C-alpha cells in the first residue's frame, strides 16, 4: 500500500462524519432549486453561520454538493440519494450509522474483551431505535436496487409459498409479490420490527396481501409448508451454533424440493475477501454475536442440516453480497 492510500484510510472517518451531520441536519432537503447561500441554510437550521459555511464547503470538497459563487447547489447524486422525498433516499442508512458513532468509539474495548459494544437486542428497545434500524435496511436496498435485481433474476413462477425470515421492512417480499403475484408470502420477524413492517406494507399498498408472523427464530419454531425460505442479512447477526440450529429449523419448515436462499456477504476461505464482508464483521462484532461467514462454512452447515445441491451465486456490483442456495 502506498502512503497516500494509508493517509486516506486514516482520515476517511472525517468524510463519513461530515456526510452524517449534513444528513442529520437535513441540509440537502433545504437547498433550493436555484441554490441557497450558507446564511440562508444556517438561518433555517438555527446553526452557527460560520460553522455552517465550513460544513457546506467541506461537502463541496467531497463532491456531494456544488458551489457557484456564494450559493450551494445539490448535485444529481445528492438529489437522488440524500433528499428525503426521493424514492432512492439513502439517508436512512446514513442516519443509522450516525447513531452508531459512539458504538464504534468502543472498538478497542471490544477487541480486548471480545464482547459487543452495545446490547445485542436487534434494536428492539424503543420504537425510535427499531424504526431507525429497519428503515436503514429499506433505504439501502431501495437505493442500491437489491430487491429489484433479485426479483428479475430469481424465478419463483413454480413456487407457491415463501417465508421471508427476518424480513425487516419487507423490501424483498414486496418486490417478489409484485413480480410473482401468485406467491403466498409470510414475513417472520420480531414484534417490534413488525410494527414498522406494517407501516411500510401500508405505504406500498400491499398490507393484507402478505402474512405477518411474530416469531423469534432462535427460540420459536418456524411453521411448515414453504417452497422457499428467504434469509437476507440474517446469518451475520448470529453465531455459528445459532445458524446451524436455524438451518435445521428451516429444513423442517420446507416442503420436499423446497429451497433455502441465503443472501449475505459470503467470504472466501481466508475470511478476508470480499473486503466489504471482512469489514462488516467488525460492525457485527460491535453490535451482535455474529460475523460474516465463508461459503465453506455455510455449505458444511447446510449439508449438516440435510440440504443438497448447495451452490454459491455471486452477485454483480453494485450489489456487495452473494446468494447461497440449498435444496431439501
Ligand atoms: C439486518 S435486518 C435484515 C432485513 C432484511 N431481511 C434485509 O435484508 O434488508 C435483520 C432482521 O432480522 C430480524 N431479526 C433479528 N433477530 C431475529 C430473531 N431472533 N427472530 C426473528 N427475527 C429476527 C430483525 O428484526 C430484522 O428485521
Amino acid at each position: 500500500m502506498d502512503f497516500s492510500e494509508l493517509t486516506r484510510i486514516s482520515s476517511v472517518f472525517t468524510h463519513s462524519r461530515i456526510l452524517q451531520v449534513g444528513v442529520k441536519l437535513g441540509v440537502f432537503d433545504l437547498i433550493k432549486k436555484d441554490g441557497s447561500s450558507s446564511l440562508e441554510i444556517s438561518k433555517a437550521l438555527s446553526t452557527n453561520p460560520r460553522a455552517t459555511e465550513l460544513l457546506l464547503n467541506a461537502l463541496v470538497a467531497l463532491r456531494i454538493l456544488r458551489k457557484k459563487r456564494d450559493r450551494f447547489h445539490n448535485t444529481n447524486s445528492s438529489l437522488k440519494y440524500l433528499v428525503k422525498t426521493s424514492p432512492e433516499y439513502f439517508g436512512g442508512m446514513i442516519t443509522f450509522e450516525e447513531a452508531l458513532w459512539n458504538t464504534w468509539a468502543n472498538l478497542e474495548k471490544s477487541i480486548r474483551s471480545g464482547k459487543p459494544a452495545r446490547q445485542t437486542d436487534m434494536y428492539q428497545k424503543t420504537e425510535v431505535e427499531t424504526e431507525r434500524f429497519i428503515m436503514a435496511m429499506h433505504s439501502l436496498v431501495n437505493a442500491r436496487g437489491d430487491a429489484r435485481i433479485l426479483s428479475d433474476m430469481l424465478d419463483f413462477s413454480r413456487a407457491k409459498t415463501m417465508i421471508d425470515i427476518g424480513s425487516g421492512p419487507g423490501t424483498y417480499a414486496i418486490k417478489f409479490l409484485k413480480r410473482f403475484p401468485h406467491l403466498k408470502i409470510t414475513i417472520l420477524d420480531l414484534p417490534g420490527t413488525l410494527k414498522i413492517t406494517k407501516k411500510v406494507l401500508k405505504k406500498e399498498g400491499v398490507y393484507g396481501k402478505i402474512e405477518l408472523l411474530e416469531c423469534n427464530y432462535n427460540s420459536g419454531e418456524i411453521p411448515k409448508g414453504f417452497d422457499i425460505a428467504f434469509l437476507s442479512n440474517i446469518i451475520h447477526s448470529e453465531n455459528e451454533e445459532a445458524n446451524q440450529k436455524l438451518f435445521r429449523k428451516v429444513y423442517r419448515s420446507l416442503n420436499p424440493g423446497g429451497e433455502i436462499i441465503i443472501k449475505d456477504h459470503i467470504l472466501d476461505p481466508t475470511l478476508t475477501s470480499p473486503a466489504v464482508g471482512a469489514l462488516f464483521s467488525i460492525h457485527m462484532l460491535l453490535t451482535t454475536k455474529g460475523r460474516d461467514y465463508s461459503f465453506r462454512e455455510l455449505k458444511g452447515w447446510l449439508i449438516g442440516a440435510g440440504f443438497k445441491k448447495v451452490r454459491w451465486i455471486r452477485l454483480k456490483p453494485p450489489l456487495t453480497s452473494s446468494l447461497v442456495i440449498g435444496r431439501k
Side-chain angles (χ1 to χ4, degrees):
M1 176 200 291
D2 67 13
F3 184 68
S4 59
E5 175 62 359
L6 188 63
T7 54
R8 194 193 65 79
I9 294 172
S10 150
S11 65
V12 78
F13 76 97
T14 59
H15 301 196
S16 312
R17 198 57 178 159
I18 289 162
L19 173 63
Q20 288 170 0
V21 171
V23 170
K24 195 173 182 189
L25 291 173
V27 163
F28 308 97
D29 307 294
L30 281 175
I31 296 178
K32 297 192 199 102
K33 264 205 175 124
D34 57 345
S36 301
S37 71
S38 68
L39 202 61
E40 285 165 354
I41 294 173
S42 74
K43 267 195 189 144
L45 293 173
S46 306
T47 49
N48 177 274
R50 178 177 174 270
T52 305
E53 187 174 6
L54 296 181
L55 177 74
L56 294 167
N57 285 338
L59 286 165
V60 173
L62 290 172
R63 295 193 295 168
I64 298 169
L65 290 179
R66 275 187 307 115
K67 188 176 184 181
K68 253 198 226 156
R69 287 184 288 279
D70 63 346
R71 294 187 84 72
F72 294 87
H73 298 257
N74 271 310
T75 55
N76 287 341
S77 295
S78 67
L79 279 175
K80 187 170 176 189
Y81 297 121
L82 302 176
V83 170
K84 278 196 191 82
T85 47
S86 164
E88 279 121 341
Y89 179 61
F90 180 55
M93 192 65 193
I94 296 169
T95 308
F96 172 62
E97 286 176 332
E98 192 278 333
L100 285 175
W101 187 258
N102 291 335
T103 303
W104 275 90
N106 283 316
L107 178 58
E108 181 189 343
K109 223 171 165 182
S110 284
I111 298 293
R112 289 188 186 281
S113 67
K115 296 201 173 88
R118 69 180 311 280
Q119 263 186 309
T120 57
D121 62 354
M122 296 312 285
Y123 309 92
Q124 299 288 305
K125 210 157 104 196
T126 66
E127 192 163 338
V128 172
E129 248 194 325
T130 312
E131 183 150 15
R132 188 163 51 218
F133 170 51
I134 295 306
M135 294 319 282
M137 305 304 126
H138 198 49
S139 96
L140 172 65
V141 172
N142 279 333
R144 202 169 48 195
D146 300 45
R148 179 182 41 78
I149 293 168
L150 282 204
S151 64
D152 286 341
M153 182 187 140
L154 297 170
D155 182 7
F156 295 133
S157 54
R158 300 227 306 264
K160 292 194 179 80
T161 48
M162 170 187 286
I163 185 157
D164 185 359
I165 299 175
S167 177
T171 328
Y172 291 92
I174 294 165
K175 276 279 185 291
F176 292 157
L177 183 70
K178 287 189 175 167
R179 176 85 175 76
F180 301 98
H182 73 280
L183 264 184
K184 213 172 148 294
I185 304 181
T186 302
I187 280 179
L188 178 155
D189 213 304
L190 299 169
T193 296
L194 288 180
K195 279 191 196 158
I196 316 299
T197 319
K198 264 184 209 166
K199 288 192 204 174
V200 179
L201 296 186
K202 279 184 183 160
K203 196 164 169 240
E204 293 285 336
V206 290
Y207 184 63
K209 295 187 179 160
I210 294 178
E211 193 183 333
L212 297 179
L213 176 65
E214 263 184 36
C215 173
N216 182 324
Y217 57 63
N218 287 324
S219 53
E221 199 56 37
I222 301 170
K224 292 192 169 56
F226 296 99
D227 297 323
I228 303 288
F230 183 70
L231 290 84
S232 169
N233 293 326
I234 298 306
I235 59 167
H236 61 223
S237 301
E238 306 294 343
N239 66 22
E240 292 83 338
E241 199 189 341
N243 279 322
Q244 291 175 69
K245 202 170 148 200
L246 180 57
F247 289 173
R248 290 195 292 271
K249 283 186 191 181
V250 172
Y251 187 85
R252 288 198 291 276
S253 85
L254 283 171
N255 294 328
E259 285 190 323
I260 182 171
I261 303 179
I262 298 163
K263 180 174 184 288
D264 226 299
H265 301 127
I266 307 295
L267 296 169
D268 76 6
T270 68
L271 303 179
T272 62
S273 179
V276 66
L279 298 175
F280 195 72
S281 284
I282 299 293
H283 189 145
M284 292 298 98
L285 168 75
L286 291 168
T287 57
T288 70
K289 296 175 183 150
R291 64 171 168 88
D292 277 327
Y293 298 99
S294 68
F295 176 64
R296 190 190 283 172
E297 288 170 297
L298 291 196
K299 188 176 178 185
W301 302 340
L302 288 168
I303 289 173
F307 288 99
K308 297 188 179 69
K309 295 189 176 163
V310 177
R311 59 196 201 278
W312 180 8
I313 301 173
R314 290 167 180 83
L315 301 171
K316 289 192 198 111
L319 305 199
T320 56
S321 50
S322 306
L323 300 179
V324 174
I325 302 181
R327 179 164 295 174
K328 177 165 174 177

